Amino acid sequence: MEIIDRYIYAVTQRLPEGQRAEIKQELQGLIEDMLEEREAEGPPAQKDVEGVLLELGDPNALAAKYRGYDRYLIGPQMFEPYLTTLKIVLISIAIAMTGMFAIESIFEPSEIAEHFTDYIVSLINACVHGFGWVTIVFLLIEYREQQNTIVKSSKSKGWKPSDLPQIPDTRLQIKMSDPISGIIFTVMFTVLCLYAIELLGVWRSHDGNRTVIPFLNADVFRSYLPIVWVAAALGILKESIRIIVRKRTGKLLALHIAVSIVATVLIGIMLADPTIWNPVFIQQLEASGIMSPGSEGYETVVSIWNGVTDWLIPIIAIFALIDIISETYKWYRVKTSS
């Protein structure tokens, strides 16, 4: 019966993933035995099934008995998504930091030993920060979940089988590739901002010497690092919740829209500051010989550079809007089809 499947699902979802299949099979056998004791012949009635489930008790309490403990910072229901998110973040950090080390080594091969030392120190520092932020995000999610459980328990007059949640429709499920790609992009962007913002610019190689003419004023940009941290934390929080929930819901869509709007506004505030841009970018292009006054395209480049904030911020806003519309359409399409 569907209500039995819902009960078993509610119990096993609160257990570590490695135990779920075994506990599911054990629970199915236990419920079947209890039903046989209640009904000698014929299929079990709805009231018999509900009686068995009431005897077994609240799925939360039964899951706690199977676990053998009930004190944790990050519970079993969150632990698998926590490990998944942590692995993605740490691997992304390692790939990004290794890529930057390779670029720096190509630009300045004579100082490869110094670059390697900086790489190791920065990698350890970035991984520690990544571990800390992911753990804090999941602690907040776990705390919120526990508070919701307490509130529901205080309002409830007792657990009933009708309280069981529906088993998620597979059509509503979110592909794991979506939150994983979101986390990778967030981590890569954050690592670039924190450790290699000077590499974002026009690269030039001349007579064996490689140089970068940066787009941004690194000193001013570093004053905006708190904004970068907030945007990264919001991005990881959103994708972590998508990994936990794994289905499209109205609340998840609202969170996605809210995070997208906040992140876009924060980035817009940062890029709207004229001092954040390299004040001598055009002069450095001229000094490097890449272009000169009167040359073909010179006025176009100068015009684009002078109006960079006028078109860059709207482009970012448009991409954010497209992403919001896309997610809304996916949610609406699945909701109406189900």
Side-chain angles (χ1 to χ4, degrees), residues 64-113:
K65 291 179 182 178
Y66 276 113
R67 289 195 301 267
Y69 62 90
D70 204 20
R71 294 181 64 86
Y72 40 74
L73 290 176
I74 298 176
Q77 194 171 359
M78 302 291 179
F79 195 69
E80 294 296 332
Y82 167 70
L83 285 182
T84 299
T85 304
L86 188 60
K87 290 175 183 177
I88 298 169
V89 168
L90 295 181
I91 290 173
S92 300
I93 289 174
I95 293 174
M97 298 298 293
T98 302
M100 288 188 295
F101 165 67
I103 293 171
E104 290 176 340
S105 299
I106 292 173
F107 267 73
E108 298 176 328
S110 61
E111 300 180 12
I112 189 171

Short mmCIF file of all heavy atoms in Angstrom, two decimals, residues 64-113:
data_model
loop_
_atom_site.label_atom_id
_atom_site.label_comp_id
_atom_site.label_asym_id
_atom_site.label_seq_id
_atom_site.Cartn_x
_atom_site.Cartn_y
_atom_site.Cartn_z
N ALA A 64 15.58 7.30 14.85
CA ALA A 64 16.55 7.53 15.93
C ALA A 64 16.94 6.21 16.60
O ALA A 64 18.10 6.00 16.97
CB ALA A 64 15.99 8.51 16.95
N LYS A 65 15.96 5.28 16.75
CA LYS A 65 16.26 3.97 17.34
C LYS A 65 17.21 3.17 16.45
O LYS A 65 18.12 2.49 16.93
CB LYS A 65 14.97 3.20 17.57
CG LYS A 65 14.08 3.79 18.66
CD LYS A 65 12.80 2.97 18.81
CE LYS A 65 11.89 3.58 19.87
NZ LYS A 65 10.61 2.83 20.00
N TYR A 66 16.98 3.23 15.14
CA TYR A 66 17.86 2.51 14.21
C TYR A 66 19.27 3.09 14.23
O TYR A 66 20.25 2.35 14.13
CB TYR A 66 17.30 2.58 12.79
CG TYR A 66 16.26 1.52 12.50
CD1 TYR A 66 14.94 1.86 12.26
CD2 TYR A 66 16.61 0.17 12.45
CE1 TYR A 66 13.98 0.90 11.99
CE2 TYR A 66 15.66 -0.80 12.18
CZ TYR A 66 14.35 -0.43 11.96
OH TYR A 66 13.41 -1.40 11.69
N ARG A 67 19.36 4.41 14.35
CA ARG A 67 20.69 5.04 14.39
C ARG A 67 21.42 4.68 15.67
O ARG A 67 22.65 4.59 15.69
CB ARG A 67 20.57 6.57 14.28
CG ARG A 67 20.16 7.08 12.93
CD ARG A 67 20.41 8.57 12.81
NE ARG A 67 19.68 9.33 13.81
CZ ARG A 67 18.47 9.86 13.64
NH1 ARG A 67 17.85 9.69 12.48
NH2 ARG A 67 17.88 10.54 14.59
N GLY A 68 20.69 4.55 16.76
CA GLY A 68 21.32 4.24 18.03
C GLY A 68 21.85 5.47 18.74
O GLY A 68 22.45 5.39 19.80
N TYR A 69 21.63 6.65 18.19
CA TYR A 69 22.04 7.91 18.82
C TYR A 69 21.17 9.01 18.25
O TYR A 69 20.53 8.86 17.24
CB TYR A 69 23.50 8.23 18.55
CG TYR A 69 23.82 8.40 17.08
CD1 TYR A 69 23.74 9.65 16.47
CD2 TYR A 69 24.17 7.31 16.28
CE1 TYR A 69 24.01 9.81 15.13
CE2 TYR A 69 24.43 7.48 14.94
CZ TYR A 69 24.36 8.72 14.37
OH TYR A 69 24.63 8.88 13.04
N ASP A 70 21.15 10.11 18.94
CA ASP A 70 20.31 11.21 18.48
C ASP A 70 20.93 12.57 18.76
O ASP A 70 20.23 13.57 18.84
CB ASP A 70 18.94 11.12 19.17
CG ASP A 70 17.85 11.82 18.36
OD1 ASP A 70 18.07 12.01 17.16
OD2 ASP A 70 16.80 12.16 18.94
N ARG A 71 22.25 12.60 18.94
CA ARG A 71 22.95 13.86 19.17
C ARG A 71 23.99 14.03 18.06
O ARG A 71 24.86 13.20 17.88
CB ARG A 71 23.64 13.89 20.54
CG ARG A 71 22.65 13.85 21.71
CD ARG A 71 23.39 13.90 23.04
NE ARG A 71 24.12 15.16 23.19
CZ ARG A 71 23.57 16.26 23.68
NH1 ARG A 71 22.30 16.27 24.04
NH2 ARG A 71 24.28 17.36 23.81
N TYR A 72 23.91 15.13 17.33
CA TYR A 72 24.83 15.37 16.23
C TYR A 72 24.77 16.84 15.84
O TYR A 72 23.81 17.54 16.14
CB TYR A 72 24.46 14.51 15.02
CG TYR A 72 22.98 14.40 14.77
CD1 TYR A 72 22.26 15.49 14.23
CD2 TYR A 72 22.28 13.25 15.08
CE1 TYR A 72 20.91 15.41 14.02
CE2 TYR A 72 20.93 13.16 14.87
CZ TYR A 72 20.24 14.23 14.34
OH TYR A 72 18.89 14.16 14.13
N LEU A 73 25.83 17.30 15.20
CA LEU A 73 25.83 18.65 14.64
C LEU A 73 25.18 18.65 13.27
O LEU A 73 24.36 19.50 12.95
CB LEU A 73 27.26 19.18 14.56
CG LEU A 73 27.94 19.51 15.90
CD1 LEU A 73 29.38 19.93 15.66
CD2 LEU A 73 27.18 20.61 16.64
N ILE A 74 25.57 17.66 12.45
CA ILE A 74 24.97 17.49 11.12
C ILE A 74 24.39 16.08 11.08
O ILE A 74 25.13 15.10 11.13
CB ILE A 74 26.02 17.69 10.01
CG1 ILE A 74 26.57 19.12 10.07
CG2 ILE A 74 25.41 17.42 8.65
CD1 ILE A 74 27.67 19.40 9.08
N GLY A 75 23.07 15.99 11.03
CA GLY A 75 22.40 14.72 11.14
C GLY A 75 22.51 13.84 9.91
O GLY A 75 22.98 14.27 8.85
N PRO A 76 22.08 12.59 10.01
CA PRO A 76 22.18 11.63 8.91
C PRO A 76 21.49 12.10 7.64
O PRO A 76 21.96 11.84 6.53
CB PRO A 76 21.51 10.38 9.47
CG PRO A 76 21.64 10.52 10.94
CD PRO A 76 21.53 11.98 11.22
N GLN A 77 20.35 12.81 7.79
CA GLN A 77 19.63 13.26 6.61
C GLN A 77 20.43 14.30 5.84
O GLN A 77 20.29 14.44 4.62
CB GLN A 77 18.28 13.83 7.03
CG GLN A 77 17.32 14.02 5.87
CD GLN A 77 15.93 14.38 6.33
OE1 GLN A 77 15.68 14.48 7.53
NE2 GLN A 77 15.02 14.57 5.40
N MET A 78 21.28 15.04 6.54
CA MET A 78 22.07 16.10 5.92
C MET A 78 23.50 15.66 5.61
O MET A 78 24.21 16.33 4.84
CB MET A 78 22.14 17.33 6.84
CG MET A 78 20.81 17.91 7.22
SD MET A 78 20.00 18.69 5.80
CE MET A 78 18.47 19.22 6.58
N PHE A 79 23.94 14.55 6.23
CA PHE A 79 25.36 14.22 6.17
C PHE A 79 25.83 13.85 4.76
O PHE A 79 26.91 14.28 4.34
CB PHE A 79 25.68 13.07 7.13
CG PHE A 79 27.15 12.90 7.39
CD1 PHE A 79 27.85 13.85 8.10
CD2 PHE A 79 27.84 11.81 6.89
CE1 PHE A 79 29.22 13.72 8.33
CE2 PHE A 79 29.20 11.66 7.10
CZ PHE A 79 29.88 12.62 7.83
N GLU A 80 25.03 13.08 4.04
CA GLU A 80 25.43 12.71 2.68
C GLU A 80 25.52 13.94 1.77
O GLU A 80 26.50 14.12 1.05
CB GLU A 80 24.45 11.68 2.10
CG GLU A 80 24.48 10.33 2.80
CD GLU A 80 25.81 9.61 2.67
OE1 GLU A 80 26.52 9.85 1.67
OE2 GLU A 80 26.16 8.84 3.58
N PRO A 81 24.48 14.83 1.77
CA PRO A 81 24.61 16.06 0.98
C PRO A 81 25.79 16.93 1.44
O PRO A 81 26.44 17.58 0.62
CB PRO A 81 23.28 16.78 1.22
CG PRO A 81 22.32 15.71 1.57
CD PRO A 81 23.12 14.70 2.32
N TYR A 82 26.06 16.92 2.76
CA TYR A 82 27.20 17.69 3.29
C TYR A 82 28.51 17.18 2.70
O TYR A 82 29.35 17.96 2.23
CB TYR A 82 27.21 17.59 4.81
CG TYR A 82 28.49 18.07 5.47
CD1 TYR A 82 28.83 19.42 5.48
CD2 TYR A 82 29.36 17.17 6.06
CE1 TYR A 82 30.01 19.86 6.08
CE2 TYR A 82 30.53 17.59 6.66
CZ TYR A 82 30.85 18.94 6.67
OH TYR A 82 32.02 19.37 7.25
N LEU A 83 28.70 15.86 2.73
CA LEU A 83 29.93 15.29 2.17
C LEU A 83 30.04 15.55 0.67
O LEU A 83 31.12 15.87 0.16
CB LEU A 83 29.98 13.78 2.43
CG LEU A 83 30.31 13.32 3.86
CD1 LEU A 83 30.36 11.80 3.92
CD2 LEU A 83 31.64 13.91 4.31
N THR A 84 28.91 15.42 -0.04
CA THR A 84 28.91 15.68 -1.47
C THR A 84 29.33 17.11 -1.77
O THR A 84 30.19 17.36 -2.62
CB THR A 84 27.51 15.42 -2.06
OG1 THR A 84 27.15 14.05 -1.84
CG2 THR A 84 27.49 15.70 -3.56
N THR A 85 28.71 18.07 -1.07
CA THR A 85 29.03 19.48 -1.27
C THR A 85 30.48 19.77 -0.91
O THR A 85 31.18 20.49 -1.64
CB THR A 85 28.10 20.37 -0.42
OG1 THR A 85 26.75 20.07 -0.74
CG2 THR A 85 28.37 21.84 -0.69
N LEU A 86 30.94 19.21 0.20
CA LEU A 86 32.31 19.44 0.64
C LEU A 86 33.32 18.91 -0.38
O LEU A 86 34.32 19.59 -0.69
CB LEU A 86 32.54 18.76 2.00
CG LEU A 86 33.86 19.06 2.70
CD1 LEU A 86 34.02 20.55 2.97
CD2 LEU A 86 33.97 18.28 4.01
N LYS A 87 33.07 17.73 -0.91
CA LYS A 87 33.97 17.17 -1.93
C LYS A 87 34.03 18.06 -3.17
O LYS A 87 35.11 18.32 -3.71
CB LYS A 87 33.51 15.76 -2.31
CG LYS A 87 33.71 14.71 -1.24
CD LYS A 87 33.12 13.38 -1.66
CE LYS A 87 33.24 12.34 -0.56
NZ LYS A 87 32.60 11.04 -0.95
N ILE A 88 32.85 18.50 -3.63
CA ILE A 88 32.81 19.35 -4.82
C ILE A 88 33.58 20.64 -4.59
O ILE A 88 34.38 21.08 -5.44
CB ILE A 88 31.35 19.68 -5.20
CG1 ILE A 88 30.59 18.40 -5.55
CG2 ILE A 88 31.30 20.64 -6.38
CD1 ILE A 88 29.10 18.60 -5.66
N VAL A 89 33.37 21.27 -3.41
CA VAL A 89 34.04 22.53 -3.10
C VAL A 89 35.55 22.34 -3.04
O VAL A 89 36.32 23.12 -3.64
CB VAL A 89 33.51 23.11 -1.77
CG1 VAL A 89 34.39 24.26 -1.29
CG2 VAL A 89 32.08 23.59 -1.94
N LEU A 90 36.02 21.32 -2.32
CA LEU A 90 37.46 21.11 -2.16
C LEU A 90 38.14 20.74 -3.48
O LEU A 90 39.24 21.23 -3.78
CB LEU A 90 37.72 20.04 -1.10
CG LEU A 90 37.28 20.38 0.33
CD1 LEU A 90 37.64 19.24 1.28
CD2 LEU A 90 37.94 21.67 0.80
N ILE A 91 37.48 19.91 -4.27
CA ILE A 91 38.05 19.54 -5.57
C ILE A 91 38.11 20.76 -6.49
O ILE A 91 39.10 20.98 -7.20
CB ILE A 91 37.23 18.41 -6.22
CG1 ILE A 91 37.43 17.10 -5.44
CG2 ILE A 91 37.64 18.21 -7.68
CD1 ILE A 91 36.53 15.97 -5.91
N SER A 92 37.05 21.58 -6.48
CA SER A 92 37.03 22.79 -7.31
C SER A 92 38.15 23.76 -6.90
O SER A 92 38.80 24.36 -7.74
CB SER A 92 35.67 23.48 -7.20
OG SER A 92 34.63 22.64 -7.64
N ILE A 93 38.34 23.90 -5.58
CA ILE A 93 39.42 24.77 -5.08
C ILE A 93 40.76 24.25 -5.56
O ILE A 93 41.61 25.03 -6.04
CB ILE A 93 39.38 24.83 -3.54
CG1 ILE A 93 38.17 25.65 -3.07
CG2 ILE A 93 40.67 25.44 -2.98
CD1 ILE A 93 37.98 25.64 -1.56
N ALA A 94 40.98 22.94 -5.44
CA ALA A 94 42.26 22.36 -5.85
C ALA A 94 42.52 22.57 -7.34
O ALA A 94 43.64 22.93 -7.75
CB ALA A 94 42.28 20.87 -5.52
N ILE A 95 41.48 22.38 -8.16
CA ILE A 95 41.64 22.56 -9.61
C ILE A 95 41.94 24.02 -9.94
O ILE A 95 42.84 24.33 -10.73
CB ILE A 95 40.37 22.10 -10.35
CG1 ILE A 95 40.21 20.57 -10.22
CG2 ILE A 95 40.42 22.49 -11.83
CD1 ILE A 95 38.91 20.05 -10.78
N ALA A 96 41.19 24.94 -9.32
CA ALA A 96 41.39 26.37 -9.59
C ALA A 96 42.78 26.83 -9.15
O ALA A 96 43.47 27.54 -9.89
CB ALA A 96 40.32 27.19 -8.87
N MET A 97 43.19 26.43 -7.95
CA MET A 97 44.51 26.85 -7.44
C MET A 97 45.64 26.25 -8.28
O MET A 97 46.64 26.92 -8.54
CB MET A 97 44.65 26.44 -5.98
CG MET A 97 43.63 27.07 -5.03
SD MET A 97 43.73 28.86 -4.96
CE MET A 97 45.31 29.09 -4.18
N THR A 98 45.48 25.01 -8.71
CA THR A 98 46.50 24.37 -9.54
C THR A 98 46.60 25.06 -10.90
O THR A 98 47.69 25.27 -11.43
CB THR A 98 46.17 22.87 -9.74
OG1 THR A 98 46.07 22.24 -8.46
CG2 THR A 98 47.26 22.19 -10.56
N GLY A 99 45.44 25.44 -11.46
CA GLY A 99 45.44 26.16 -12.73
C GLY A 99 46.16 27.49 -12.63
O GLY A 99 46.94 27.87 -13.51
N MET A 100 45.93 28.22 -11.52
CA MET A 100 46.60 29.51 -11.33
C MET A 100 48.10 29.33 -11.13
O MET A 100 48.90 30.14 -11.60
CB MET A 100 45.97 30.25 -10.15
CG MET A 100 44.58 30.78 -10.46
SD MET A 100 43.92 31.83 -9.16
CE MET A 100 43.77 30.65 -7.84
N PHE A 101 48.47 28.26 -10.42
CA PHE A 101 49.90 27.98 -10.25
C PHE A 101 50.57 27.71 -11.60
O PHE A 101 51.68 28.18 -11.88
CB PHE A 101 50.09 26.78 -9.33
CG PHE A 101 51.46 26.18 -9.35
CD1 PHE A 101 52.56 26.89 -8.86
CD2 PHE A 101 51.68 24.92 -9.88
CE1 PHE A 101 53.83 26.34 -8.89
CE2 PHE A 101 52.94 24.36 -9.92
CZ PHE A 101 54.03 25.07 -9.43
N ALA A 102 49.87 26.96 -12.46
CA ALA A 102 50.43 26.66 -13.79
C ALA A 102 50.59 27.93 -14.61
O ALA A 102 51.61 28.13 -15.28
CB ALA A 102 49.52 25.66 -14.51
N ILE A 103 49.59 28.83 -14.55
CA ILE A 103 49.66 30.09 -15.30
C ILE A 103 50.82 30.95 -14.81
O ILE A 103 51.60 31.50 -15.60
CB ILE A 103 48.33 30.85 -15.20
CG1 ILE A 103 47.22 30.08 -15.92
CG2 ILE A 103 48.46 32.26 -15.78
CD1 ILE A 103 45.85 30.65 -15.70
N GLU A 104 50.95 31.07 -13.49
CA GLU A 104 52.03 31.88 -12.92
C GLU A 104 53.40 31.30 -13.27
O GLU A 104 54.36 32.04 -13.52
CB GLU A 104 51.87 31.98 -11.41
CG GLU A 104 50.67 32.84 -10.98
CD GLU A 104 50.48 32.83 -9.48
OE1 GLU A 104 50.99 31.88 -8.83
OE2 GLU A 104 49.81 33.75 -8.96
N SER A 105 53.48 29.97 -13.30
CA SER A 105 54.75 29.32 -13.64
C SER A 105 55.12 29.57 -15.10
O SER A 105 56.30 29.73 -15.44
CB SER A 105 54.67 27.81 -13.36
OG SER A 105 54.42 27.57 -12.00
N ILE A 106 54.11 29.62 -15.97
CA ILE A 106 54.37 29.90 -17.39
C ILE A 106 54.81 31.35 -17.57
O ILE A 106 55.72 31.64 -18.34
CB ILE A 106 53.10 29.61 -18.22
CG1 ILE A 106 52.82 28.10 -18.23
CG2 ILE A 106 53.26 30.12 -19.65
CD1 ILE A 106 51.51 27.72 -18.87
N PHE A 107 54.18 32.26 -16.83
CA PHE A 107 54.52 33.68 -16.95
C PHE A 107 55.91 33.98 -16.37
O PHE A 107 56.65 34.79 -16.92
CB PHE A 107 53.48 34.53 -16.22
CG PHE A 107 52.36 35.00 -17.09
CD1 PHE A 107 51.38 34.11 -17.52
CD2 PHE A 107 52.29 36.31 -17.52
CE1 PHE A 107 50.35 34.54 -18.35
CE2 PHE A 107 51.27 36.74 -18.36
CZ PHE A 107 50.29 35.85 -18.76
N GLU A 108 56.23 33.34 -15.26
CA GLU A 108 57.52 33.61 -14.60
C GLU A 108 58.19 32.29 -14.23
O GLU A 108 58.25 31.91 -13.06
CB GLU A 108 57.30 34.46 -13.35
CG GLU A 108 56.69 35.83 -13.65
CD GLU A 108 56.39 36.60 -12.38
OE1 GLU A 108 56.07 35.96 -11.35
OE2 GLU A 108 56.49 37.83 -12.40
N PRO A 109 58.72 31.56 -15.22
CA PRO A 109 59.33 30.24 -14.95
C PRO A 109 60.54 30.31 -14.04
O PRO A 109 60.88 29.34 -13.36
CB PRO A 109 59.69 29.73 -16.36
CG PRO A 109 59.78 30.96 -17.21
CD PRO A 109 58.78 31.91 -16.65
N SER A 110 61.22 31.46 -14.03
CA SER A 110 62.41 31.60 -13.19
C SER A 110 62.07 31.61 -11.70
O SER A 110 62.93 31.37 -10.85
CB SER A 110 63.18 32.87 -13.56
OG SER A 110 62.36 34.02 -13.36
N GLU A 111 60.82 31.91 -11.36
CA GLU A 111 60.40 31.99 -9.96
C GLU A 111 59.44 30.87 -9.59
O GLU A 111 58.58 31.03 -8.72
CB GLU A 111 59.74 33.35 -9.70
CG GLU A 111 60.66 34.54 -9.98
CD GLU A 111 59.97 35.86 -9.72
OE1 GLU A 111 58.88 35.83 -9.10
OE2 GLU A 111 60.50 36.90 -10.12
N ILE A 112 59.62 29.71 -10.23
CA ILE A 112 58.68 28.61 -10.03
C ILE A 112 58.70 28.09 -8.60
O ILE A 112 57.67 27.68 -8.04
CB ILE A 112 58.96 27.47 -11.04
CG1 ILE A 112 57.83 26.43 -10.97
CG2 ILE A 112 60.33 26.83 -10.76
CD1 ILE A 112 57.91 25.40 -12.07
N ALA A 113 59.89 28.11 -7.96
CA ALA A 113 59.99 27.63 -6.58
C ALA A 113 59.15 28.51 -5.64
O ALA A 113 58.43 28.01 -4.78
CB ALA A 113 61.45 27.62 -6.12
#
